[in-house]
Every structure is written in structure tokens, then in C-alpha cells.
Amino acid sequence: MKNLLLLHGALGHSDIFKPYLQDLSKQFNIHTPLFSGHGNTEIPHDGISIEKYTQELAEYCKQQKLNDVYIFGHSMGGYVGLCYALQLPENVNSVLTLGTKFDWTEEQALKESTMLAPETILLKIPKYAEQLELQHGSQWKELLPAITGMMVSLGKKPPLNSDSLSKITTPVQIMAGDHDNMVTLEETVQTYRRIPNARLMILPDTRHPMEKVRPVLLMDIMKDFWNLY
């Protein structure tokens, strides 16, 4: 069977893909790797970066002897999936991204990072703090500043820019929800236009969190993109 990688976002977890596993496993061998620092994995001593996560993905595929992989990436997972396709195009069949932020500037990254202070989340969004503790254990408070560091490095030197995006030869579909408060429709359309072999889809009445995406809608999109009917 074909191999499908489901890649979670920053501060996310592979558990978010549970609603899709039964249907997708009829067509694919499913792989749901955790990026370091997430779940029960350790936070790297030298910090977190997109480059590090791309390398982790490459190592995972090598260990599992995976090639010609299909990739679905939510948020940061989509960014890493595209970086992997750029680095090793011969290993990737296609990439489907949802809610991936491409327009990173240092100023914007710093603004986003102020919302990731553990004390702020505990005070203002206690339910989110509970979710983070459930998914990542007590290290969630250390994971937040590590993710902040990744965002700032993305703002300083984004691996995916107009030049690198134009070199992606893999079939890609870029997607965002019309109610996503983290990703603009403008940056989504702009990215789609920069990738030569890309398609675009805007999901109606859809917010950023994977848990808020309607599984029936996303499954239909996956079936269409990958010709699973």
C-alpha cells in the first residue's frame, strides 16, 4: 500500500488525526510521527527549528524505508512537508497543506510569541493549558519558549521564500480556512501562485485548529486530491 505521513502542527499532537485514521487506512499505510518536544519526546537541547524538523522527517522516512510518500500537514506540519519535498523531491508523491502560515517576518513572529507565554495561557486560556498538559505532559511550559524561538528564526530567515517555493516540483494543494485567525487568505493565495504545480482550496466556515475542521469535508478533499474514489 501507499504510505501517508500525517504531520501535526506546532504545539499539536498526532492524536488530532484520529477521526481520519479508519477511512485513510483503507487506502494507505498511515504514519503519524511526533516532532521532537511534542508528546512524550524530549525537547532538543539546541532548540527547535524548521530545518531540524525537516531533518527529523527525512530520518524517519529513511528508518522506515519510505519513498514516494504522500503528505498531509496541518499548520507547521505543512511547512515541514513542503521543505522535505523541496529537499528530497524524489521521495515525495504529493503534499496537501492546511492552515500553514507562510508569511513570516521577525516582527510578526515576536508578536505571535507574546501570546505563547505559559503564564498568559494559564490565566487567559486555562482550557488550552489543560490540553497542552494532557498532550505534552509537564514539559509544555518549556515547549512554548522553544516554539517561540522557532518562530523568531522563521521570521529572520524563512526557508520557504518566493525563490525556494518556485523550485518545488511536487504536486501540491495549499489550503486554508476562511475563518483562520492565524493564516491570511492573501498569503495562502500568494504561496499557491509561487509553486509551479499547485492547487488552491479555501475551506468554508473553517477555523485554524485541526479539531475545528469538519472531518467529512476534509476527507472528501483528500479523496479528490489523491483520487481515492
Side-chain angles (χ1 to χ4, degrees):
M1 289 178 82
K2 301 180 289 263
N3 293 298
L4 172 61
L5 290 159
L6 300 175
L7 306 179
H8 65 81
L11 302 175
H13 195 282
S14 53
D15 284 352
I16 59 172
F17 300 120
K18 281 181 179 175
Y20 305 88
L21 297 184
Q22 188 175 348
D23 272 352
L24 288 172
S25 61
K26 295 171 186 174
Q27 307 276 352
F28 297 102
N29 293 317
I30 308 292
H31 297 264
T32 55
L34 281 167
F35 292 113
S36 58
H38 294 77
N40 58 358
T41 66
E42 288 186 10
I43 299 172
H45 297 300
D46 54 347
I48 285 171
S49 67
I50 290 293
E51 291 83 357
K52 181 183 287 292
Y53 282 164
T54 305
Q55 187 57 36
E56 286 181 15
L57 182 57
E59 287 169 5
Y60 179 86
C61 290
K62 189 176 180 180
Q63 288 166 3
Q64 299 291 322
K65 296 184 170 66
L66 305 181
N67 50 45
D68 195 39
V69 294
Y70 294 67
I71 294 176
F72 170 80
H74 175 248
S75 195
M76 179 198 74
Y79 203 104
V80 175
L82 287 175
C83 286
Y84 180 62
L86 182 64
Q87 185 176 303
L88 290 166
E90 65 277 11
N91 280 14
V92 183
N93 175 284
S94 51
V95 181
L96 189 59
T97 76
L98 174 61
T100 296
K101 183 162 190 62
F102 296 100
D103 183 21
W104 287 100
T105 63
E106 194 171 355
E107 183 185 5
Q108 196 165 20
L110 288 167
K111 184 183 174 185
E112 292 275 351
S113 68
T114 59
M115 297 156 63
L116 292 183
E119 299 76 18
T120 304
I121 290 175
L122 281 164
L123 185 67
K124 295 188 175 180
I125 330 170
K127 282 192 175 180
Y128 186 43
E130 285 176 26
Q131 180 186 322
L132 290 171
E133 174 104 32
L134 193 65
Q135 290 180 331
H136 312 295
S138 58
Q139 73 170 1
W140 73 270
K141 291 180 182 178
E142 287 77 49
L143 179 58
L144 287 166
I147 292 295
T148 294
M150 181 193 74
M151 287 180 169
V152 172
S153 68
L154 264 173
K156 287 179 178 175
K157 192 179 178 184
L160 295 178
N161 52 42
S162 56
D163 181 54
S164 57
L165 286 167
S166 70
K167 293 174 183 171
I168 295 175
T169 56
T170 306
V172 170
Q173 183 159 298
I174 302 292
M175 306 192 297
D178 59 355
H179 291 168
D180 194 320
N181 62 352
M182 284 189 66
V183 180
T184 66
L185 296 183
E186 289 77 14
E187 70 187 281
T188 303
V189 172
Q190 188 177 59
T191 302
Y192 144 74
R193 285 178 171 154
R194 285 173 172 167
I195 300 173
N197 198 12
R199 306 197 318 187
L200 171 72
M201 181 165 285
I202 306 301
L203 279 61
D205 194 28
T206 301
R207 292 164 58 194
H208 185 78
M210 190 68 190
E211 301 91 321
K212 301 293 184 183
V213 178
R214 300 190 294 289
V216 172
L217 173 62
L218 185 51
M219 273 305 309
D220 280 344
I221 292 167
M222 288 177 170
K223 286 176 181 176
D224 175 70
F225 182 59
W226 287 319
N227 296 310
L228 303 181
Y229 290 102

